Amino acid sequence: MTKLIDTFGRAHRDMRVSLTDRCNLRCTYCMPHDFAAWMPSADLLTTDELITIIKVAVEEGIDQIRLTGGEPMLRPDIVEIVSRISSIDNAPKLSMTTNGLALAKLAKPLVDAGLKRINISLDTLDRDVFKKMTYRDRIDDVFAGIKAAKEAGLTPVKINTVLMRGINDGEAISLLKWALAEGLNLRFIEQMPLDAGGIWDRTQLITADEIFTTLGTEFDLTPVPDRGSAPAEEFYVNGGPATVGVIGSVTRSFCGSCDRVRLTSDGQIRNCLFSMAETDLRSILRSDISDGEKIESIRKMFHSTVAAKLPGHGINDPSFIQPNRPMSAIGG
Ligand code: SAM
Ligand code: SF4
């Protein structure tokens, strides 16, 4: 039973753990192509520090952990991190969100180390569009990564897709046909105002409703009941069993059932992607107090952070301000 319950009664069981803010792609909705404002390496949590925090979170009731970033597989000891999290008492269910570039090499070792599920981000099936959207010519590495993930047993592999107007929005139907043929679980994500370049423009947003309409011209979609705290609304395609998901973060927000907290790679906990405040656990870990006192302070910080959670992200309020940290530095 989780002890992390906020003032609105939401029970927190899921922690998104960012392992680095660095990335080997430059998805335009995430960071500018010349982005280089990385955190200093000394600010990043060491693996020992990370495991200490995760153990406390698990003791307080977190039972699902998703590793993310930046690109989590840029962390040189990623397999060791997965293995150490999997060895914790009451080990949480462990998943990862990745751009897939290193999966051809790492899928099998990661599964052997305890990874259970994977989300791979891919916005297009077209090499030129991929290059335009990521500033790198690496679509073949993503396809190889998807194949390796399937072979390693990380099924069903989920694919995350962000549609951008005039760039890849014409691919919604072909992406779903491809995903169905490949046995992949595709999910479209509405673009959120979290990019480092500040290019988000509400008037250009491809909304969940627009995605439903487009997919509806080709497929019969029936809602899958019992969404729980999942961000994606899932639909059976042509009667199922295959499904497609739509994450309407902006226009169909799911804050009322949010069960997530976030740990940044520099050791800050956040109660929301859009939070303006964060709680510094790294300074506690690097202070002179005893190990026992550190753990008790971290425990208290988890509770105070969850207690301070607002009812919703407020993107649609006129007073909304984009957080200082971009998605890549929070952990998507
Ligand atoms: N690098 C990994 C990847 O791309 O999967 C993990 C980190 S990335 C920040 C996690 C997810 O956030 C990806 O699926 C990506 O498409 C999504 N994402 C990034 N920026 C976004 C934005 N502004 N709006 C919506 N989703 C975004
Ligand atoms: Fe990198 Fe992921 Fe951001 Fe793309 S979405 S730039 S792969 S962190």
Side-chain angles (χ1 to χ4, degrees):
M1 255 323 243
T2 181
K3 300 172 203 160
L4 298 171
I5 299 176
D6 73 10
T7 53
F8 301 93
R10 292 171 296 193
H12 290 69
R13 298 192 177 85
D14 183 332
M15 185 159 77
R16 306 289 159 108
V17 175
S18 174
L19 296 180
T20 175
D21 62 329
R22 290 161 173 74
C23 193
N24 39 11
L25 293 183
R26 296 289 182 277
C27 305
T28 47
Y29 51 75
C30 187
M31 56 176 92
H33 69 93
D34 55 354
F35 187 74
W38 312 119
M39 295 175 198
S41 303
D43 285 359
L44 300 193
L45 293 179
T46 65
T47 299
D48 284 344
E49 289 171 337
L50 187 68
I51 299 297
T52 301
I53 294 173
I54 291 175
K55 278 184 180 163
V56 176
V58 168
E59 282 166 13
E60 295 313 288
I62 293 293
D63 61 11
Q64 295 195 43
I65 288 191
R66 174 170 295 278
L67 302 176
T68 182
E71 175 44 45
M73 283 198 258
L74 288 183
R75 187 96 178 201
D77 58 349
I78 182 67
V79 176
E80 186 200 335
I81 291 174
V82 167
S83 168
R84 287 185 64 182
I85 297 173
S86 305
S87 311
I88 291 174
D89 285 346
N90 294 319
K93 199 167 149 204
L94 191 55
S95 57
M96 185 187 291
T97 301
T98 171
N99 61 28
L101 296 186
L103 265 179
K105 197 170 98 195
L106 288 177
K108 175 81 169 59
L110 287 170
V111 168
D112 291 346
L115 189 71
K116 300 287 184 235
R117 300 293 284 270
I118 200 133
N119 286 27
I120 302 174
S121 303
L122 181 65
D123 303 317
T124 175
L125 300 174
D126 183 289
R127 173 184 304 276
D128 291 331
V129 177
F130 186 91
K131 269 193 334 202
K132 192 171 171 190
M133 287 187 79
T134 66
Y135 284 85
R136 301 288 186 274
D137 186 10
R138 300 204 56 185
I139 195 168
D140 289 340
D141 293 319
V142 185
F143 288 137
I146 292 169
K147 181 166 177 279
K150 282 162 66 176
E151 285 168 2
L154 287 167
T155 48
V157 171
K158 290 188 178 170
I159 303 291
N160 289 357
T161 298
V162 177
L163 294 177
M164 294 184 79
R165 195 169 302 282
I167 300 174
N168 66 335
D169 54 332
E171 288 192 65
I173 289 173
S174 51
L175 277 160
L176 182 50
K177 283 185 179 165
W178 166 77
L180 295 172
E182 295 286 331
L184 303 164
N185 184 198
L186 180 66
R187 298 124 46 88
F188 293 100
I189 309 176
E190 278 183 350
Q191 188 185 346
M192 293 179 276
L194 279 173
D195 57 298
I199 62 162
W200 190 79
D201 175 356
R202 177 182 295 277
T203 64
Q204 294 302 305
L205 181 65
I206 307 283
T207 63
D209 281 349
E210 194 172 339
I211 297 168
F212 296 141
T213 304
T214 304
L215 296 180
T217 62
E218 186 80 20
F219 306 97
D220 180 31
L221 303 180
T222 352
V224 177
D226 298 330
R227 177 183 182 186
S229 58
E233 292 177 69
E234 293 281 344
F235 297 83
Y236 290 116
V237 183
N238 297 336
T243 59
V244 64
V246 179
I247 305 184
S249 325
V250 178
T251 65
R252 296 164 76 93
S253 84
F254 34 85
C255 304
S257 57
C258 179
D259 67 348
R260 288 170 285 284
V261 288
R262 291 167 191 278
L263 175 65
T264 67
S265 55
D266 59 343
Q268 314 295 308
I269 37 174
R270 301 173 62 93
N271 56 26
C272 177
L273 265 177
F274 295 94
S275 170
M276 299 307 275
E278 35 191 48
T279 309
D280 182 8
L281 302 186
R282 190 190 60 208
S283 334
I284 297 174
L285 285 163
R286 295 184 185 176
S287 68
D288 293 336
I289 57 178
S290 71
D291 286 352
E293 286 168 324
K294 287 179 189 173
I295 285 167
E296 283 321 306
S297 294
I298 291 169
R299 201 184 305 283
K300 279 190 195 136
M301 293 303 174
F302 266 103
H303 283 273
S304 58
T305 300
V306 166
K309 184 157 170 156
L310 297 175
H313 57 41
I315 301 176
N316 301 311
D317 297 345
S319 57
F320 174 75
I321 301 172
Q322 180 167 336
N324 286 336
R325 272 186 199 257
M327 180 81 130
S328 55
I330 298 171

